[in-house]
Amino acid sequence: MLNTRKLTRKSVFTTVIAIAIALANVEQVTNKAIGSLSSITLKNLTDEGKVASSFDIKSTTNINQTDNMTQPNPTNSKPWFVLHVGPGKTGTSHLQTYMFKSRIVSLLHKDHYSLIPDNLIRMNGNWKLRKPDTKQFDLIDEFVEIVKEYREIPSQNVFGSSEGLDTITSEMCEVWKRVFMEEQDWNLKVVVSYRRLHNLIPSYYNQHYKRVRVSREPRIRNTHEDWPGINGDYRIPSFHEYFLDTFSDFYPKEKDKSVYERIFKNWENCSDELEIFDMYESKVMLDDGRVVDGSNEIALNFICSSLKGVNHTCSELFQNKRRKLRDNVSVNLDYDILAVHAYENNLISEDLNRHKVVQAIQSHVKKENITLAQKCPSQDVLDYLYEWSLEVEQWIKKRTKFSNGENLSPSQLSAFNADWEKMLATEVLCTVDCDKLIKEAKWMEFFKEMNESRL
C-alpha cells in the first residue's frame, strides 16, 4: 500500500511538470501545478481540520514597510534547497505539521517554495541506500528524481525537514553535496535547531519510554501490557537512573560536547550555508536584514528566520493570531513506574494486565486529587547537567545570527538561568518516590483492593 502511494504521488508530480513545461507561460502554469501537488501531499500527511497555530508578536520594525507583493526569485541565480536536519525533540514534528498546513503551503508557494515531506526523505528505512556494487551510501533514486524535477522549474526553491539527518556521517554528507550541490546545482542551506540540553535530555527520556520498544518486534507498541521480563517488556527507569546509564562514559569527570558539534562538523563541508535556529531567541532576523520581535509560534520564527526570500509569507503570518498547536506531548511515566514497583514488591498479581493497572493508578490519583511524592536527581547530577548545558549554550550562542563571537552576555546568562529554574520547577527530572508510597497504608489498601477486583 505504501509503494502505491509513492508511485501515485510521483506520477502526479511528473505529469504536472510535463504539462507545465509544455505550455508557453511556464511560470503561470507551474504555479497551478505545484499548488495541486502540495494539496495532494498535504492530503496524505495531515488532517487540515485539526491543524492550528498561534502568532503573537510586537514588531520592533514594521514588517509591512516593504511592498507585500512577492518578489520573484531571479532566474539567473541558483535556487535554494533549505534542509532542516533536527535534531529530534527540537520541535521537528511540530515544524513539519505546521509547514504542511494548506495555508502555509499556499503562502510559501507564492514565495517560490515547494515542500518535500519527511517520509519521502527517509524512504526505504532512512533515506539512504548502500549500493551493492560499490558498498557506498547513496540516496534513493525516487527522492533524487523528484528534487531534480523541482530544480527544472525556474526560480523554484525547496524545503525539507527530517530529524534523521542529524546523525549523518561525513561520507553520507558528501553524497548530499555531490547530488544536490554539484550535479543538480542547488544552493544547499542546512539548518540545525537548538534546544537547551536541560530541556532536550528529559524530552529524549520521555520519548523513548512512553512507548514499548521491543527489539524482536517490527513495530513500536504504544503501551506496556506485560510486566518486566514477560514477552520482552521491561521496567521504565527513573530519570536519575536513565541519566547515569546513558552518560556513564562521561559522568562525572567529562562532558559530551559532540551533541551539536558533531552535526556541524559533518555538514559544514558539504553545504553552502550552515545555520543554527535558536528557539529561545526573542528576536527574528528576516532575510532582508530587518529584526522583529519573535512570535510564540516557533515554526513561524523558523520560517521567517531560516528560509530565503519569504517576505510575502512572513508579512501575511505576522499579521494573524491563531490558536497554538502542541505536538508530541510528553506522557507522565510515574503511573507505570509505580505500578511496576508495586508488582516487584508483590503488591500486584502477575495475572493483572500492566496497562490496566497503570490506568487504575492514574484514575485514582486524579479522582482523589493526589500529589505523588517525587524523588529528584542528586545535587551532583544537577550540577553536572547545569554546567554541561551551559557549556553547550556558550558554544551555540557564538554561532547564531545575533552573536558577536564572544561569551554569553549578562542578559543571556540571566535568560539561561531563568530557563534552568523554570525547568527545575516543573520537576521534569524527578520521578515518583515509590519506596515512600508503597509503605503508606492508603496505597497498600489500594493495591489490595485492585488484586481482589481482578480488574
Side-chain angles (χ1 to χ4, degrees):
M1 187 66 179
L2 180 61
N3 291 334
T4 302
R5 288 202 296 268
K6 290 177 182 176
L7 289 174
T8 301
R9 182 171 63 249
K10 186 178 180 184
S11 299
V12 171
F13 181 90
T14 306
T15 303
V16 166
I17 298 304
I19 294 173
I21 294 175
L23 296 174
N25 192 341
V26 174
E27 182 175 356
Q28 179 181 356
V29 178
T30 302
N31 284 343
K32 295 180 181 179
I34 299 303
S36 299
L37 174 63
S38 299
S39 298
I40 294 169
T41 306
L42 178 71
K43 190 173 183 180
N44 288 340
L45 296 179
T46 65
D47 179 357
E48 296 179 38
K50 296 181 180 179
V51 182
S53 61
S54 169
F55 312 102
D56 184 17
I57 81 157
K58 297 178 181 178
S59 300
T60 55
T61 301
N62 186 353
I63 197 169
N64 295 307
Q65 286 177 350
T66 56
D67 189 354
N68 283 346
M69 294 299 292
T70 303
Q71 299 299 315
N73 186 27
T75 56
N76 60 349
S77 65
K78 292 195 295 184
W80 286 92
F81 186 161
V82 181
L83 183 65
H84 175 237
V85 299
K89 307 310 297 177
T90 59
T92 307
S93 297
H94 175 66
L95 175 64
Q96 292 165 0
T97 301
Y98 183 90
M99 296 285 275
F100 276 93
K101 296 189 320 185
S102 57
R103 181 166 180 261
I104 305 302
V105 169
S106 177
L107 289 172
L108 288 173
H109 169 52
K110 294 178 181 178
D111 280 324
H112 307 281
Y113 268 91
S114 294
L115 306 179
I116 301 175
D118 169 51
N119 66 345
L120 181 60
I121 298 177
R122 62 167 70 199
M123 279 193 310
N124 199 28
N126 196 17
W127 69 262
K128 57 184 180 290
L129 176 69
R130 185 181 290 275
K131 287 187 174 180
D133 54 339
T134 62
K135 294 184 178 181
Q136 297 294 318
F137 283 104
D138 206 348
L139 296 164
I140 61 175
D141 293 338
E142 183 176 353
F143 173 49
V144 173
E145 287 302 312
I146 288 180
V147 177
K148 182 179 179 181
E149 289 171 327
Y150 278 125
R151 181 64 182 91
E152 293 171 354
I153 302 173
S155 307
Q156 193 68 24
N157 305 300
V158 296
F159 170 80
S161 172
S162 182
E163 61 188 51
L165 297 175
D166 66 325
T167 56
I168 192 172
T169 66
S170 56
E171 291 79 13
M172 296 173 192
C173 188
E174 285 297 323
V175 175
W176 278 81
K177 177 181 179 179
R178 171 179 55 81
V179 173
F180 298 116
M181 293 174 62
E182 297 173 1
E183 296 176 2
Q184 296 191 11
D185 200 29
W186 291 93
N187 279 317
L188 182 61
K189 177 179 180 178
V190 174
V191 184
V192 181
S193 291
Y194 170 59
R195 186 179 186 185
R196 290 173 178 140
L197 287 193
H198 58 260
N199 296 319
L200 183 65
I201 294 175
S203 186
Y204 274 139
Y205 162 72
N206 192 275
Q207 176 71 13
H208 182 80
Y209 287 106
K210 71 181 182 181
R211 295 183 178 178
V212 186
R213 304 166 192 273
V214 180
S215 58
R216 61 183 176 82
E217 292 187 2
R219 64 184 180 85
I220 298 175
R221 285 183 275 150
N222 288 327
T223 58
H224 294 265
E225 300 290 339
D226 300 300
W227 299 109
I230 300 175
N231 295 326
D233 219 325
Y234 48 84
R235 180 178 72 89
I236 298 177
S238 67
F239 176 81
H240 183 82
E241 293 172 314
Y242 162 82
F243 186 88
L244 295 180
D245 180 66
T246 303
F247 304 107
S248 59
D249 290 343
F250 303 96
Y251 179 83
K253 295 182 179 180
E254 300 178 17
K255 298 181 181 69
D256 180 11
K257 300 179 182 179
S258 67
V259 179
Y260 288 98
E261 291 182 33
R262 183 190 67 252
I263 305 174
F264 255 69
K265 181 180 179 181
N266 289 338
W267 279 107
E268 63 182 352
N269 295 322
C270 47
S271 60
D272 292 292
E273 189 174 328
L274 184 58
E275 178 180 293
I276 291 175
F277 171 69
D278 182 2
M279 64 171 58
Y280 302 97
E281 180 56 62
S282 61
K283 305 292 183 182
V284 174
M285 182 180 291
L286 305 177
D287 187 45
D288 59 8
R290 286 176 297 152
V291 176
V292 300
D293 286 343
S295 167
N296 64 351
E297 172 51 74
I298 293 177
L300 170 55
N301 294 340
F302 179 94
I303 291 173
C304 297
S305 172
S306 300
L307 270 62
K308 300 280 189 176
V310 288
N311 295 336
H312 177 269
T313 300
C314 294
S315 295
E316 289 288 322
L317 293 180
F318 269 75
Q319 298 179 64
N320 293 276
K321 297 179 181 180
R322 295 189 178 185
R323 181 174 59 85
K324 187 174 182 179
L325 173 70
R326 186 181 179 193
D327 299 301
N328 228 342
V329 178
S330 296
V331 171
N332 190 333
L333 302 176
D334 281 351
Y335 307 122
D336 187 278
I337 292 173
L338 179 57
V340 169
H341 197 79
Y343 165 77
E344 292 176 337
N345 283 270
N346 300 315
L347 298 177
I348 294 291
S349 169
E350 182 178 312
D351 296 333
L352 299 183
N353 178 273
R354 175 175 172 178
H355 180 56
K356 290 183 178 180
V357 172
V358 171
Q359 289 180 314
I361 293 175
Q362 181 177 4
S363 177
H364 177 66
V365 167
K366 292 183 176 180
K367 180 181 179 180
E368 301 298 327
N369 196 26
I370 298 173
T371 300
L372 297 176
Q374 297 289 297
K375 187 174 184 179
C376 301
S378 66
Q379 190 60 48
D380 286 342
V381 168
L382 293 177
D383 291 343
Y384 177 91
L385 179 57
Y386 172 84
E387 293 170 4
W388 183 18
S389 185
L390 181 58
E391 288 180 13
V392 174
E393 176 97 350
Q394 291 172 331
W395 188 91
I396 287 289
K397 291 296 187 180
K398 289 182 179 181
R399 291 160 176 80
T400 60
K401 287 184 176 182
F402 296 96
S403 171
N404 55 10
E406 299 178 356
N407 290 329
L408 297 181
S409 66
S411 62
Q412 288 176 324
L413 179 58
S414 177
F416 175 87
N417 286 334
D419 189 61
W420 169 264
E421 293 299 329
K422 179 181 177 181
M423 178 275 298
L424 291 180
T426 64
E427 296 189 332
V428 69
L429 305 183
C430 307
T431 308
V432 58
D433 190 344
C434 297
D435 291 330
K436 179 180 179 179
L437 290 183
I438 65 170
K439 295 176 182 177
E440 295 180 0
K442 59 182 180 180
W443 277 106
M444 295 181 68
E445 181 64 24
F446 171 78
F447 291 126
K448 179 181 178 182
E449 292 177 357
M450 185 182 299
N451 280 323
E452 292 174 351
S453 69
R454 312 304 293 174
L455 286 181

